Amino acid sequence: MRNNVAKAKPYIFVIMITLCIFTICATTSPLYGFCDESHCFFSVGKAILNGKVLYKDILEQKGLLIYLIQIPAYLISHTTFLGVWIIQSILVAISAFFAYKSALFIVEKELYAFVATCLMYLVIFVSDALASAQIVEVYLLPCFSYALFCSLKYFSKIENVQKRVFLINGIMAGIVMWTKYSLLGFYFIWMATICIFFLIKKRLKEAIVDGVIFISGMIIVSIPCILYFFVNNAVYDLIKYYLQGNIANYGTDITIINLIYGYVETIIFHLRNNFVFIGALVIGGVGVLLNRKINFFVKINLLFSVIAQFLVIFLHGSMYSYYFFAFAAFVILGTSSFVQVLFGIFRVGNGAGKTFNILMAVLGVACILVALLFKPSPRQFMKDPADLAQYKFAKIMREKTDIPTLLEYGYLDGGFYTVADIVPSTWAYCKLNWDNDDMEKDQLNTISNQLTDFVVTRSGIEIPQELFDNYRLVAETTQYRVDMQYTYYLWEKKTSEEK
């Protein structure tokens, strides 16, 4: 019994420290008065709960699963991100469990692995890549952490890997596909290298069987998702707006020149905004190549999979820092290599008993202090949100009508649906970050026909004449959204006498 407790202790401490860092840095946590990044996932999740069909009745860019996971979050709290934080914390804890196991495989000492894992989460959560934390990449962190662990733990003897490993990773890949399929580059090469290995060894049967098992895992996830769209007569909308839209509606045309320019520009941008993050990845890559415990196949499997992830994600380039969070799971390779070399130079032992407990406690406090000093979005930390436009406008709308309807015109969902507990009633309920003529037409149609009681706009966007014709300005508030200052305007529908 005591041995089990002793073995579990580092895992418990790692998870506790990781969650503390996450709670301090993520604006979805209760420590923040308001999450001033996008509320799209949450708004669409509650719309689906209230009978809207994704893509057909309400427009969005991501896959079905990211919205379904918002439903329990919404049921926990309709007007805050408390439920979001709880769900994210569970997923972060799972990822920390597998990150620690990966670190332990590399460094072989519990103290080293503990320090490496804490450093990993400190690096990724204080980085600009975390953004608000309400990003797909946070939800998928356990998938990639598990895949990395499998590569390190099992693939050194690939011939003996149990088939369930491929099934589980196939399920993980299916989850990724139905959440944000542009992140599938890693899994495609991850599985391809395994099949190629068996083909080189002239073991065609294993290559086919393992490939089929992996694909079966993806199918297990895909069947209920496809049925959802089939039953709701929305397969066409799925293809048009999720599968095709995320390729056609971003960036410039794909040519060799555009690809090279885009990749170079992307690397420069992220070096400037996520330097420590990228440094940890580079150290990890070098560490994997030099580590004699990691065999040649595992090195090829990991390095090519991560490279494929980069090439696919940044196919159109990206000036959004959060895109780089897709590589967060692999930072453990860098922090493990760094700790192993540093502790080796100073001949740091593994520690035992009370010494180990004291070291864990000291490191935990140090990580929390660093997180407090370098949290990426401090503006709403421990602040009262009552003076924000979202709360002022919610009070006005609720005073004027019991069940108000709303349109956020010309910008990404800023949380006005969330705070006022309004279910989006229009197809293009806000402006998404892609080029889509249907979206713009639908927003203008909503305004022209007064399909919502209220419209919220903000400075920096062009106001159409239709808005002046059909709505009147009733309130305005100037505030910051992250690091940019905007003035938000609340418009109320005019009566027939006023028009």
Side-chain angles (χ1 to χ4, degrees), residues 23-27 31-34 36-37 125-128 130-132 370-384 480-483:
T23 300
I24 291 168
C25 295
T27 64
L31 296 182
Y32 289 78
F34 180 70
D36 57 4
E37 282 279 4
F125 288 151
V126 303
S127 73
D128 286 345
L130 179 66
S132 67
V370 172
L372 285 168
L373 287 172
F374 297 100
K375 52 189 177 294
S377 301
R379 191 171 298 279
Q380 297 298 332
F381 186 73
M382 302 298 287
K383 296 288 181 66
D384 183 353
Y480 279 90
R481 178 187 178 274
V482 192
D483 294 323

Side-chain angles (χ1 to χ4, degrees), residues 75-133:
L75 294 175
I76 292 170
S77 175
H78 285 202
T79 59
T80 72
F81 272 8
L82 176 63
V84 171
W85 171 73
I86 291 172
I87 290 170
Q88 289 182 332
S89 294
I90 293 170
L91 296 174
V92 166
I94 294 170
S95 75
F97 174 83
F98 286 109
Y100 177 79
K101 290 179 78 70
S102 295
L104 195 58
F105 176 86
I106 295 171
V107 299
E108 299 182 320
K109 295 181 179 180
E110 289 183 340
L111 177 60
Y112 289 27
F114 178 83
V115 175
T117 308
C118 291
L119 283 179
M120 168 200 166
Y121 285 97
L122 196 59
V123 167
I124 65 174
F125 288 151
V126 303
S127 73
D128 286 345
L130 179 66
S132 67

Side-chain angles (χ1 to χ4, degrees), residues 98-332:
F98 286 109
Y100 177 79
K101 290 179 78 70
S102 295
L104 195 58
F105 176 86
I106 295 171
V107 299
E108 299 182 320
K109 295 181 179 180
E110 289 183 340
L111 177 60
Y112 289 27
F114 178 83
V115 175
T117 308
C118 291
L119 283 179
M120 168 200 166
Y121 285 97
L122 196 59
V123 167
I124 65 174
F125 288 151
V126 303
S127 73
D128 286 345
L130 179 66
S132 67
Q134 181 64 331
I135 54 176
V136 168
E137 289 77 5
V138 168
Y139 291 91
L140 296 180
L141 190 55
C143 298
F144 295 110
S145 294
Y146 178 71
L148 172 60
F149 167 71
C150 289
S151 291
L152 293 171
K153 178 71 174 179
Y154 301 119
F155 292 173
S156 56
K157 295 181 180 179
I158 186 67
E159 299 91 341
N160 301 326
V161 177
Q162 295 180 349
K163 301 306 179 187
R164 63 181 173 83
V165 171
F166 298 112
L167 179 65
I168 294 172
N169 275 284
I171 291 172
M172 297 294 111
I175 291 171
V176 172
M177 181 171 71
W178 288 98
T179 306
K180 187 176 181 179
Y181 70 79
S182 61
L183 300 179
L184 271 178
F186 170 86
Y187 278 103
F188 177 78
I189 299 300
W190 186 86
M191 193 63 219
T193 55
I194 295 168
C195 293
I196 291 170
F197 171 84
F198 283 122
L199 290 175
I200 291 173
K201 295 289 186 179
K202 297 182 179 180
R203 298 170 66 171
L204 178 62
K205 181 180 178 180
E206 282 96 332
I208 294 174
V209 169
D210 292 343
V212 168
I213 291 174
F214 180 83
I215 293 172
S216 298
M218 296 183 70
I219 292 173
I220 289 171
V221 179
S222 298
I223 287 174
C225 294
I226 293 172
L227 282 175
Y228 166 82
F229 292 104
F230 182 79
V231 169
N232 288 290
N233 195 28
V235 174
Y236 170 79
D237 304 280
L238 164 70
I239 295 170
K240 181 177 180 180
Y241 295 110
Y242 181 52
L243 301 180
Q244 293 180 349
N246 281 298
I247 296 174
N249 295 335
Y250 278 109
T252 56
D253 294 333
I254 298 175
T255 66
I256 297 298
I257 298 298
N258 286 341
L259 280 175
I260 294 173
Y261 178 79
Y263 287 135
V264 171
E265 187 180 37
T266 297
I267 290 171
I268 293 171
F269 173 83
H270 288 285
L271 277 171
R272 187 170 62 248
N273 290 275
N274 295 304
F275 182 77
V276 176
F277 195 133
I278 293 176
L281 289 173
V282 171
I283 292 171
V286 174
V288 167
L289 290 173
L290 297 180
N291 194 319
R292 294 181 181 179
K293 186 180 180 181
I294 301 175
N295 70 18
F296 180 74
F297 169 73
V298 175
K299 293 174 181 179
I300 294 296
N301 173 262
L302 287 177
L303 292 175
F304 278 78
S305 298
V306 172
I307 291 170
Q309 186 83 315
F310 176 85
L311 294 177
V312 174
I313 290 174
F314 298 113
L315 192 63
H316 291 287
S318 172
M319 299 302 110
Y320 295 111
S321 290
Y322 75 86
Y323 270 45
F324 218 83
F325 205 84
F327 302 93
F330 311 107
V331 169
I332 193 64

Side-chain angles (χ1 to χ4, degrees), residues 257-469:
I257 298 298
N258 286 341
L259 280 175
I260 294 173
Y261 178 79
Y263 287 135
V264 171
E265 187 180 37
T266 297
I267 290 171
I268 293 171
F269 173 83
H270 288 285
L271 277 171
R272 187 170 62 248
N273 290 275
N274 295 304
F275 182 77
V276 176
F277 195 133
I278 293 176
L281 289 173
V282 171
I283 292 171
V286 174
V288 167
L289 290 173
L290 297 180
N291 194 319
R292 294 181 181 179
K293 186 180 180 181
I294 301 175
N295 70 18
F296 180 74
F297 169 73
V298 175
K299 293 174 181 179
I300 294 296
N301 173 262
L302 287 177
L303 292 175
F304 278 78
S305 298
V306 172
I307 291 170
Q309 186 83 315
F310 176 85
L311 294 177
V312 174
I313 290 174
F314 298 113
L315 192 63
H316 291 287
S318 172
M319 299 302 110
Y320 295 111
S321 290
Y322 75 86
Y323 270 45
F324 218 83
F325 205 84
F327 302 93
F330 311 107
V331 169
I332 193 64
L333 299 172
T335 55
S336 296
S337 299
F338 174 77
V339 169
Q340 189 171 36
V341 171
L342 184 66
F343 282 19
I345 292 173
F346 291 99
R347 297 182 180 180
V348 178
N350 191 40
K354 291 182 178 179
T355 302
F356 188 47
N357 294 341
I358 292 170
L359 288 171
M360 287 194 295
V362 170
L363 181 63
V365 172
C367 287
I368 290 170
L369 290 175
V370 172
L372 285 168
L373 287 172
F374 297 100
K375 52 189 177 294
S377 301
R379 191 171 298 279
Q380 297 298 332
F381 186 73
M382 302 298 287
K383 296 288 181 66
D384 183 353
D387 290 333
L388 295 178
Q390 286 82 355
Y391 287 82
K392 290 181 179 179
F393 293 180
K395 184 178 180 182
I396 293 170
M397 289 186 285
R398 284 294 178 181
E399 285 175 348
K400 290 179 176 289
T401 179
D402 291 334
I403 307 177
T405 54
L406 173 67
L407 170 68
E408 292 193 49
Y409 177 82
Y411 65 97
L412 206 59
D413 184 353
F416 292 91
Y417 292 104
T418 301
V419 176
D421 194 16
I422 295 174
V423 177
S425 58
T426 62
W427 183 69
Y429 69 103
C430 73
K431 187 181 187 304
L432 304 175
N433 289 328
W434 61 357
D435 301 321
N436 188 307
D437 292 338
D438 293 341
M439 173 179 65
E440 295 174 5
K441 289 176 183 177
D442 188 80
Q443 289 217 317
L444 281 175
N445 179 66
T446 297
I447 293 171
S448 299
N449 293 286
Q450 294 185 311
L451 298 182
T452 60
D453 301 318
F454 298 93
V455 176
V456 175
T457 62
R458 76 177 188 195
S459 56
I461 62 171
E462 184 178 350
I463 304 299
Q465 184 59 44
E466 290 88 342
L467 187 61
F468 293 103
D469 295 339

